[in-house]
Structure formats: C-alpha cells, structure tokens
Amino acid sequence: KNDTEKYQQFWNEFGGVIKEGLAEDFANKDKIANLLRFATTQTGDSAQNHSLAQYVERMQEKQEKIYYITAETYAAGMSSPHMEIFRKKGIEVLVLSERIDGWMISYLTDFEDKHLQDITKGELDLGEVEDEEDKKQQEEASKTYESLITQITELLKDKVDTVRVTNRLTDSPACLVSGAHDMDAQMKKIMEAAGQNVPETKPSFEVNPEHPLVKKLNDEQNDERFNDLTHVLFDQAALASGEQLKEPGAFVTRLNKLLLDLSK
C-alpha cells in the first residue's frame, strides 16, 4: 500500500473484492477501510484513487462528517442536484458508482470518528460549515412559502412523505430526498434484480425558494397549471435522482401543455 503506483494497479484489479471484505470480515473493518479507494469531487476524475485518510486530511476546519453519494455513474453523481450546496461550499464528496458500493457503504458507518453521511438522505445538516445567515434565510423562506408547501403536500400526498423548503439547492428547483434510514436507489435496483422484496417508501420533496419556477408556482392562480407544474417539478426531481417515471406519458403531456402556454 505504501507504493502508490503499484497499489493503484492492485486496487484496479481487486478493489471490488476488498469492498466485499467490509461485510465478510467485519472484525477487521477498520483495517479494510484504510485500504479502500474512492472517486471524489476533488479532481473531477472518475478514477478510484483517494483514500478515506486523504479525505479526512482535506476536510474543512469545521466539517464534521464524510459526505458521499451513490449513483449509476460518476457523471450522474457529479450532476446530481444534491451536489449543488457542496459545490457552493467547496465541500468534497465521495462519488460511489459501482454496483457493490451501496451494499458496501452500509457496513461503513464511520472512519476515524467521522460519520459517513449520504447527501441524498434525511434533512441536510452541514453543522458549523453552514453559517447563521443561511439558516436564517431558510427559516424565513419556510414561513413565506408555508401556504405553497401546504398546497403541494395535499396534491402529492400519495407520492411523498413530507414537503419542505430546501437548503441543498442553488440551481435546481426541487429534489427528492430519501428517509435517513431508507434503502438507497442503487441497493433497491440490486435487490429487485435479485427477486427480493423491496419495502415501499416515500421520499421527501424539497423545493428551492430562490428558483424562478418555484416563485412562479407560488404566484400561480390557475389550479390546473399549478397542478401540472407541481407534477412536472416532482417528475423532474425523480429523473434527476436516477429513478424511472411510473407515468412517463403523463409527464410529457404536462410538460408540453406548459410549453404551449409559454409560447402563447
């Protein structure tokens, strides 16, 4: 492992087997964790050549957690809406894109007393990295958009667990967030492919109060357009999360109606 070049060649061939070791040899979890290599947002390169120890060395002064995302591909992870706030704050994120990664990471909850946090799950808490001004703005936005949140919640009650104002997004209008203890999308696909029953869960729907589409939604007086735009934003968030739409035809129909309205 002390010879970086030779170890990288070894990892490229046998990294998947080492990842399995977290579950197969749990007694040696800490030793195995030191052998792992990851792709990260640090370089914009999909190569798995960063150790957890290197990540910890690069953590921001007030950063308390190791952040990661699981995705179908490195590019999909990098383009996820969930990355936006981390890009803005300059916080490094591990990008896990191999099929084994979702299963592996369930056995790796911490490293050197740092908790590993999936950025797509639960309410986002950046700890002291998030300044007081950010928190104040989110609280004010939650009050301003309280009526909108109630309307969206009623409309999407069969699809979502909760609706709330987000602190994750800078460019996207909305995103889907899994529960803190829910299975990630990657693991769901693996279990479904294996013929296993996957528990039904509902995501949270988070909206960005600074986005023009959310502001337009808040001002919309026409019920039909409000419903169409809400469903389009929800379906877009699902697509961005790597999910397949249950009713793709309905999504296209609603989107076309909105585009026609804009062209008039």
Side-chain angles (χ1 to χ4, degrees), residues 4 8 36-45 47-67 74 86 89-95 111-112 114 129:
T4 303
Q8 191 62 44
L36 299 174
R37 294 294 181 268
F38 297 91
T40 90
T41 56
Q42 175 74 7
T43 58
D45 187 343
Q48 297 179 31
N49 52 12
H50 298 264
S51 69
L52 289 173
Q54 289 172 323
Y55 179 102
V56 170
E57 285 179 6
R58 294 192 294 256
M59 285 173 63
Q60 294 192 14
E61 184 179 353
K62 296 180 179 180
Q63 185 179 338
E64 300 169 352
K65 298 177 181 178
I66 297 172
Y67 295 102
Y74 180 81
F86 292 89
K89 298 286 186 181
I91 301 173
E92 184 177 359
V93 179
L94 304 177
V95 184
F111 178 80
E112 293 185 358
K114 306 290 186 183
V129 177

Side-chain angles (χ1 to χ4, degrees), residues 28 68 91 114 132 258-259:
N28 287 307
Y68 71 89
I91 301 173
K114 306 290 186 183
E132 290 302 318
L258 292 170
L259 290 173

Side-chain angles (χ1 to χ4, degrees), residues 61-255:
E61 184 179 353
K62 296 180 179 180
Q63 185 179 338
E64 300 169 352
K65 298 177 181 178
I66 297 172
Y67 295 102
Y68 71 89
I69 186 171
T70 59
E72 285 292 312
T73 64
Y74 180 81
M78 288 292 287
S79 63
S80 169
H82 293 275
M83 283 288 195
E84 292 176 6
I85 188 63
F86 292 89
R87 195 174 293 119
K88 177 183 176 181
K89 298 286 186 181
I91 301 173
E92 184 177 359
V93 179
L94 304 177
V95 184
L96 313 182
S97 58
E98 290 191 339
R99 294 201 68 181
I100 193 175
D101 286 341
W103 177 76
M104 171 206 69
I105 207 70
S106 65
Y107 291 93
L108 184 64
T109 57
D110 58 83
F111 178 80
E112 293 185 358
D113 297 324
K114 306 290 186 183
H115 178 68
L116 272 78
Q117 177 66 50
D118 186 337
I119 67 173
T120 69
K121 291 184 178 183
E123 293 194 52
L124 182 62
D125 181 10
L126 295 176
E128 294 186 23
V129 177
E130 187 174 28
D131 57 44
E132 290 302 318
E133 185 62 29
D134 291 337
K135 296 176 182 177
K136 184 178 179 181
Q137 287 179 355
Q138 187 182 7
E139 290 173 1
E140 290 175 352
S142 296
K143 293 177 182 177
T144 302
Y145 286 84
E146 187 174 359
S147 177
L148 175 64
I149 297 302
T150 301
Q151 283 181 276
I152 296 175
T153 300
E154 179 60 27
L155 182 62
L156 299 179
K157 60 185 178 183
D158 294 331
K159 296 183 177 182
V160 302
D161 179 43
T162 58
V163 180
R164 55 181 177 250
V165 167
T166 190
N167 63 335
R168 303 171 194 266
L169 305 176
T170 59
D171 303 315
S172 300
C175 66
L176 297 186
V177 180
S178 300
H181 303 292
D182 288 351
M183 189 181 300
D184 63 45
Q186 206 176 37
M187 272 301 295
K188 285 181 180 178
K189 290 179 181 178
I190 292 174
M191 291 190 67
E192 287 170 350
Q196 300 291 322
N197 290 325
V198 177
E200 283 288 332
T201 57
K202 293 180 181 180
S204 293
F205 185 49
E206 297 192 357
V207 296
N208 177 6
E210 298 301 317
H211 197 280
L213 284 176
V214 175
K215 291 180 179 180
K216 178 177 177 58
L217 187 64
N218 191 45
D219 296 334
E220 184 58 66
Q221 300 298 313
N222 183 291
D223 288 344
E224 184 177 354
R225 277 201 301 268
F226 179 90
N227 293 350
D228 285 342
L229 182 53
T230 300
H231 279 106
V232 165
L233 292 179
F234 178 83
D235 287 344
Q236 284 181 340
L239 289 171
S241 296
E243 296 185 13
Q244 290 185 330
L245 300 183
K246 293 181 179 179
E247 299 178 276
F251 168 71
V252 172
T253 299
R254 291 188 182 108
L255 185 58

